[in-house]
């Protein structure tokens, strides 16, 4: 299940199950969104991205859904594996007049039980 | 080469020390970034360089001094830091500031004692 407290929100899933990680973004002008995976002691690693003119994009075992009406982004991981255990960040960018900066959301820790 | 390389990986420094963090990429990217990441928090943007010129300074204290000597290198000079500056410092690059995707390095874990 998912827990939110004083620390990083954590999602615990069983190996083989599907995972859904959610993110709320704040800037309605954002037109590009990325999901990053960060393993302990490493930098963020690109997983999948989506532009604001789309509402769904699929990759290998991952799907990103974008709901601009409620400013919500989700990452779905199919058949979650122990190697998927990490912290997942959504990030948003705005390219209006090329003034964009990549801004990160709060992050969710995914823990996969074998 | 599709990597951003950061050195050192770990750094312990005293509050009166002067040290530098180094970031290097050979992908021909012309935008480079410094982010600061505290434990269990998202990365926060500090500086943006575009074509070797400082484009953004997100109200970072002057004890952090960035430098971009050429298109492949980005340095962060540190002086008179405080213990609360202890964090993971991440470097990233992109083709230009108008590019969507950033490539991140593995970071330098900084401890100020």
């Amino acid at each position: 299940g998912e827990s939110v407290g004083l620390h990083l929100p954590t999602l615990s899933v069983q190996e083989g199950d599907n995972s859904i990680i959610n993110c709320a973004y704040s800037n309605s002008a954002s037109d590009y969104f990325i999901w990053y995976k960060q393993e302990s002691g490493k930098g963020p690693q690109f997983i999948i991205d989506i532009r604001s003119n789309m509402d769904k994009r699929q990759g290998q075992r991952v799907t990103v859904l974008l709901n601009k009406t409620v400013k919500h982004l989700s990452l779905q991981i199919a058949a979650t594996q122990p190697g998927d255990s990490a912290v997942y960040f959504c990030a948003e960018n705005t390219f209006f007049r090329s003034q964009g900066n990549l801004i990160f959301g709060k992050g969710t820790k995914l823990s996969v039980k074998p | 080469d599709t990597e951003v390389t950061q050195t050192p990986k770990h750094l312990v420094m005293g509050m009166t020390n002067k040290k530098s963090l180094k970031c290097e990429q050979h992908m021909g990217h012309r935008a480079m970034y410094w982010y600061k990441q505290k434990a269990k928090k998202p990365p926060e943007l500090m500086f943006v360089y575009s074509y070797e010129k400082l484009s953004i300074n997100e109200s970072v204290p002057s004890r952090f001094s960035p430098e971009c000597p050429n298109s492949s290198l980005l340095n962060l000079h540190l002086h008179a830091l405080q213990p609360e500056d202890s964090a993971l410092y991440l470097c990233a690059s992109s083709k230009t500031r108008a590019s969507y995707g950033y490539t991140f390095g593995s970071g330098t874990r900084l401890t100020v004692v």
Side-chain angles (χ1 to χ4, degrees):
Chain A
E2 184 173 332
S3 65
V4 176
L6 294 177
H7 303 290
L8 204 60
T10 300
L11 176 65
S12 295
V13 299
Q14 204 69 37
E15 181 179 0
D17 287 353
N18 297 332
S19 302
I20 299 177
I21 300 171
N22 296 303
C23 175
Y25 65 92
S26 54
N27 187 354
S28 55
S30 292
D31 55 13
Y32 178 68
F33 305 88
I34 311 177
W35 280 100
Y36 282 96
K37 173 186 180 183
Q38 188 174 24
E39 296 173 281
S40 181
K42 296 186 179 180
Q45 177 188 359
F46 172 91
I47 302 175
I48 191 168
D49 59 1
I50 189 167
R51 298 190 186 190
S52 58
N53 61 352
M54 304 170 70
D55 53 23
K56 181 179 180 179
R57 188 156 189 239
Q58 288 184 290
Q60 188 178 13
R61 275 199 316 118
V62 294
T63 301
V64 55
L65 299 177
L66 175 62
N67 185 329
K68 293 181 288 292
T69 303
V70 294
K71 292 190 284 189
H72 184 268
L73 197 65
S74 69
L75 176 70
Q76 300 177 0
I77 305 174
T80 314
Q81 302 167 0
D84 295 325
S85 294
V87 177
Y88 290 80
F89 291 100
C90 64
E92 58 185 297
N93 207 336
T94 309
F95 286 98
F96 179 67
R97 296 180 181 170
S98 301
Q99 295 301 310
N101 293 314
L102 193 66
I103 305 298
F104 284 79
K106 288 189 169 63
T108 297
K109 182 177 179 180
L110 177 64
S111 179
V112 182
K113 294 174 282 190
Chain B
D1 188 352
T2 58
E3 287 188 348
V4 174
T5 303
Q6 290 189 244
T7 54
K9 292 197 184 306
H10 301 273
L11 178 63
V12 179
M13 62 184 289
M15 289 188 282
T16 58
N17 290 161
K18 284 185 183 180
K19 296 285 184 183
S20 297
L21 310 185
K22 181 180 171 182
C23 173
E24 195 166 1
Q25 57 87 14
H26 296 287
M27 296 178 279
H29 289 179
R30 303 309 297 272
M32 297 185 78
Y33 312 84
W34 281 115
Y35 281 81
K36 174 183 177 180
Q37 186 177 26
K38 300 283 278 185
K40 297 189 167 96
K41 297 290 186 182
E44 294 179 346
L45 185 64
M46 299 174 73
F47 300 106
V48 178
Y49 271 84
S50 179
Y51 291 88
E52 295 89 69
K53 286 187 170 40
L54 183 62
S55 178
I56 288 182
N57 173 343
E58 290 284 4
S59 302
V60 179
S62 59
R63 57 186 185 268
F64 295 91
S65 175
E67 178 198 20
C68 190
N70 61 56
S71 60
S72 299
L73 276 177
L74 186 66
N75 298 319
L76 187 62
H77 302 299
L78 314 173
H79 174 54
L81 294 194
Q82 303 297 311
E84 58 264 29
D85 296 320
S86 298
L88 180 68
Y89 288 84
L90 292 162
C91 175
S93 71
S94 61
K95 281 187 182 175
T96 67
R97 278 211 57 210
S99 300
Y100 288 113
Y102 292 21
T103 302
F104 282 85
S106 292
T108 294
R109 174 72 61 190
L110 174 68
T111 303
V112 182
V113 297

